[in-house]
Amino acid sequence: MHHFISILTFLIVAMFSTDLVARQSVFSAFNQSIADADKAFIAKNYNQALSIYEHIEGKEGAPSNIALRLARSYFFTYQYERAVEYYRHHEKTNLEFPTKDYFYFAEALSSIGDTVEALKYYHVCMDKNPDDELFVQKIWRINNLRYLYEDSVKNMAHYASMNTNYSELQMLPAGNKEVYLISNHPEVELIQKIDTKENAPFYNLRKWSIYEDPFSIVALNYENPRPAGQSLRTAFHISAMSIFNRGQDMVYAASANKKNEDGNYPLQLYFAQLKRGKWIKSAAFEHNNPNTDLTEPAISDDGATLIFSANFTDALGGKDLYKSVRTEEGWSEPENLGNIINTQTDERYPFLHRSNLYFASDGHPGLGGFDLYKAKMIDGRFQDLENLGYPINSTYDELSFNIDSLGQQGFLSSNRKNQGFDFDIYEFAMDLQIYPLEVEGVVKFIEHNWMDSSELKVLANVQMELIDRTGNVLKSITKTDEFGKFKLKVPYFSKYKIRIKGDDLDGFVSFEVPKFAKQDLSYEIVVVNDDFKNSLREENE
């Protein structure tokens, strides 16, 4: 009997010991998961950290501040509504709430449009750090948001038709009615590689053919997408690019082929030349640094000035913009653009246009998240900072930006539609003509198209009908006076024609309204009778 009790006691102790070892093993694995998540977060692999934190949440043994960890991870993956939700959860725990998290909380609130609550937490930040100018600027901007909406009727941002469920991050004109696109839409490959930071395929370069939508101010139609960076391919990302020398040269950011001491493949800058229709890598930027990312380059048309984003040790905080100039000896040592441009957080995606620098920042006060800004070169320095306002910016994130030589139209990327890492391309136009629009002018007449312009005569007392070519809809009617002068109201932008009716006259003339604002809206319409007689018949056929 005693022997039986000893065996039973041994079995109970053994079972308890086995259970204890199992519990310790589970506990150890759980702690390792937390440690792995924290390491991923510190390495800025926010999506990887987030997936672990989400798995841990609600389980026994989860850190008491798991809501704070989740809030930060959602914030840095641009999921602002979720960030706000978890900062509110953390606020109820009465655990430590670091000032930087009050700032992220305020930024997330601002991004989802809750400016009243955002203002409250910006004030908390300022109370804790009264000498920090950033908080003062953020508070001023919220109290003066109306200024960022002043030009909203003159500017337009249009969702591009080629966007997908993947992230379209940068689009640039390629000439000859083509554009380049940086996107993580997967290439056709046997084995799909995934970037754990974004839990998505790696970014690559494609080319699209484009043609204009004739009835839209900014919309383009896209067709024939095809890979364009095969010869530049690295094992991972081609993440950003800038073209110069009339489209014959490029500087681009791509993942290095070797790991750095932290085990990462940092983004570095490289140059390429267009040869026989293919981009051929020509050189690496001589100031590449394996211990940090150099990315999102912008280069002047002559290839002499390079600006890029990096987090060197002298950065003011996060990623800063740096400038390097090409000399006879090579590229100059990168120079930080200073605190007029750079902030405690991130500055990204510079773009050079004449003497102006455009860039994205989440440190300067704006509508929320990353906004787009413009700085002018004055006395050798970029200054006179200007937020581009709504609808170029939104309460979410705007990153890459480029504009045409006239400073009127271009492309930007934004996650305003789907949030998170799902960025889309928007076609934009600035300084548009405002409608309804009243134009004036004079109608003149000439019998034959070979006659001298001195024989032009005014057309008095003829009827003018403004017709929208879309659907052939009559929009307004007016008459010329005895001097052939007229005033006409144009309701909105479209393709128009004018029907002119008078004694022995009935025909059509084309009528173009400018897309962009201009001072002189006075028109001279010339009716050439030889052509005019045929126009009515052609319209009716």
Side-chain angles (χ1 to χ4, degrees):
M1 185 65 150
H2 179 75
H3 181 67
F4 174 75
I5 291 172
S6 298
I7 292 172
L8 185 62
T9 303
F10 173 77
L11 288 172
I12 291 170
V13 170
M15 288 170 63
F16 178 78
S17 300
T18 302
D19 183 58
L20 182 63
V21 169
R23 287 189 180 187
Q24 287 175 337
S25 178
V26 170
F27 184 73
S28 176
F30 195 78
N31 282 341
Q32 185 60 50
S33 293
I34 296 169
D36 289 343
D38 290 344
K39 285 179 182 177
F41 184 90
I42 291 168
K44 299 184 178 181
N45 296 333
Y46 300 121
N47 251 319
Q48 182 181 345
L50 181 58
S51 64
I52 300 173
Y53 291 143
E54 286 177 331
H55 181 70
I56 289 169
E57 183 192 14
K59 293 189 176 180
E60 183 181 354
S64 57
N65 67 348
I66 186 65
L68 181 65
R69 285 170 153 94
L70 282 162
R72 287 178 180 174
S73 299
Y74 283 125
F75 179 80
F76 285 109
T77 53
Y78 312 131
Q79 299 178 70
Y80 300 121
E81 290 178 358
R82 299 285 280 168
V84 166
E85 177 186 348
Y86 278 89
Y87 272 126
R88 292 200 193 283
H89 288 332
H90 180 70
E91 198 172 31
K92 294 174 184 176
T93 65
N94 294 319
L95 295 169
E96 180 190 9
F97 208 125
T99 302
K100 66 179 180 181
D101 286 289
Y102 276 119
F103 177 68
Y104 301 152
F105 193 7
E107 291 280 274
L109 285 161
S110 179
S111 291
I112 65 172
D114 192 344
T115 54
V116 174
E117 281 289 288
L119 195 60
K120 168 184 168 183
Y121 290 105
Y122 283 132
H123 275 292
V124 170
C125 295
M126 193 169 72
D127 291 342
K128 292 177 177 290
N129 291 280
D131 296 328
D132 196 320
E133 186 66 23
L134 174 63
F135 305 140
V136 176
Q137 291 176 355
K138 293 282 186 177
I139 290 168
W140 180 89
R141 173 51 70 202
I142 283 186
N143 287 326
N144 294 275
L145 278 177
R146 65 187 183 278
Y147 295 128
L148 297 185
Y149 290 90
E150 284 183 342
D151 293 330
S152 60
V153 294
K154 293 194 286 185
N155 300 334
M156 174 183 286
H158 178 81
Y159 181 80
S161 63
M162 40 57 62
N163 287 312
T164 68
N165 292 330
Y166 293 91
S167 190
E168 287 75 35
L169 201 51
Q170 185 187 31
M171 182 171 277
L172 293 171
N176 196 29
K177 296 184 178 181
E178 294 178 318
V179 290
Y180 289 116
L181 174 68
I182 299 286
S183 166
N184 65 0
H185 190 287
E187 301 280 14
V188 178
E189 295 177 328
L190 293 176
I191 300 175
Q192 287 294 334
K193 298 178 181 178
I194 298 295
D195 176 15
T196 57
K197 286 187 177 182
E198 298 188 20
N199 193 30
F202 291 99
Y203 286 93
N204 55 71
L205 178 63
R206 309 181 104 193
K207 184 185 278 190
W208 289 75
S209 299
I210 58 171
Y211 59 96
E212 290 187 7
D213 181 336
F215 298 106
S216 171
I217 298 180
V218 295
L220 294 170
N221 294 302
Y222 299 82
E223 60 186 8
N224 189 26
R226 61 252 188 225
Q230 300 98 316
S231 55
L232 308 177
R233 287 296 294 270
T234 67
F236 305 108
H237 292 293
I238 296 176
S239 69
M241 61 184 289
S242 182
I243 300 171
F244 62 105
N245 187 25
R246 300 182 301 281
Q248 298 304 300
D249 290 270
M250 176 207 296
V251 57
Y252 66 101
S255 303
N257 289 317
K258 293 182 179 179
K259 286 184 179 181
N260 60 18
E261 56 192 33
D262 295 324
N264 297 319
Y265 294 89
L267 291 169
Q268 306 284 266
L269 300 182
Y270 303 93
F271 293 91
Q273 293 181 323
L274 192 61
K275 295 182 178 180
R276 297 179 181 176
K278 289 187 176 181
W279 288 107
I280 306 300
K281 180 179 173 182
S282 57
F285 180 51
E286 58 194 81
H287 298 293
N288 280 339
N289 184 331
N291 296 317
T292 190
D293 287 326
L294 281 72
T295 186
E296 298 153 8
I299 196 163
S300 58
D301 292 336
D302 61 2
T305 302
L306 175 66
I307 296 178
F308 59 92
S309 181
N311 56 347
F312 288 135
T313 53
D314 67 339
L316 303 186
K319 295 178 180 177
D320 279 6
L321 297 186
Y322 288 82
K323 173 183 173 182
S324 181
V325 178
R326 190 179 61 188
T327 67
E328 292 182 0
E329 291 76 32
W331 288 98
S332 66
E333 190 71 29
E335 171 194 356
N336 190 296
L337 289 186
N339 59 11
I340 292 175
I341 301 298
N342 294 316
T343 67
Q344 301 170 26
T345 52
D346 288 336
E347 280 64 49
R348 301 179 60 184
Y349 282 98
F351 177 76
L352 288 165
H353 179 259
R354 299 176 185 165
S355 60
N356 297 321
L357 170 67
Y358 295 87
F359 65 98
S361 171
D362 64 349
H364 293 288
L367 286 171
F370 279 93
D371 272 16
L372 295 166
Y373 297 84
K374 173 184 175 182
K376 297 177 182 178
M377 176 68 79
I378 301 173
D379 297 330
R381 297 185 66 200
F382 289 114
Q383 42 194 312
D384 196 15
L385 200 63
E386 173 191 351
N387 184 297
L388 296 187
Y390 180 86
I392 304 301
N393 288 315
S394 71
T395 57
Y396 287 90
D397 299 288
E398 284 66 47
L399 288 179
S400 68
F401 176 95
N402 66 81
I403 198 165
D404 65 9
S405 60
L406 299 176
Q408 294 176 328
Q409 292 179 271
F411 303 102
L412 62 88
S413 63
S414 174
N415 65 353
R416 66 185 70 178
K417 189 172 189 287
N418 297 313
Q419 304 180 44
F421 278 113
D422 189 354
F423 283 83
D424 294 304
I425 297 299
Y426 287 77
E427 304 145 353
F428 72 85
M430 303 177 75
D431 200 24
L432 291 167
Q433 184 62 62
I434 300 172
Y435 294 87
L437 170 70
E438 186 170 78
V439 299
E440 60 182 28
V442 61
V443 181
K444 296 182 178 180
F445 177 85
I446 191 169
E447 188 67 42
H448 303 294
N449 51 26
W450 46 263
M451 293 177 70
D452 190 84
S453 60
S454 64
E455 299 184 63
L456 285 169
K457 300 176 182 178
V458 298
L459 265 180
N461 303 312
V462 293
Q463 180 172 296
M464 302 176 67
E465 297 177 355
L466 181 70
I467 299 170
D468 187 344
R469 289 182 179 274
T470 311
N472 218 35
V473 180
L474 176 64
K475 301 310 297 183
S476 62
I477 300 175
T478 189
K479 288 189 72 172
T480 61
D481 64 14
E482 59 185 307
F483 304 106
K485 294 180 179 179
F486 70 90
K487 287 186 178 180
L488 191 63
K489 184 170 284 188
V490 182
Y492 48 78
F493 174 79
S494 188
K495 296 290 184 181
Y496 291 100
K497 59 187 177 184
I498 293 177
R499 185 171 187 172
I500 298 177
K501 295 179 180 180
D503 295 337
D504 301 321
L505 281 174
D506 192 353
F508 293 87
V509 293
S510 62
F511 182 69
E512 293 289 335
V513 182
K515 288 183 180 182
F516 301 97
K518 67 176 188 177
Q519 297 299 317
D520 184 13
L521 289 171
S522 180
Y523 288 77
E524 182 177 275
I525 297 174
V526 177
V527 174
V528 181
N529 202 22
D530 289 345
D531 303 325
F532 197 64
K533 288 175 182 177
N534 298 323
S535 66
L536 186 63
R537 186 182 71 252
E538 290 170 357
E539 288 286 340
N540 291 329
E541 286 179 350

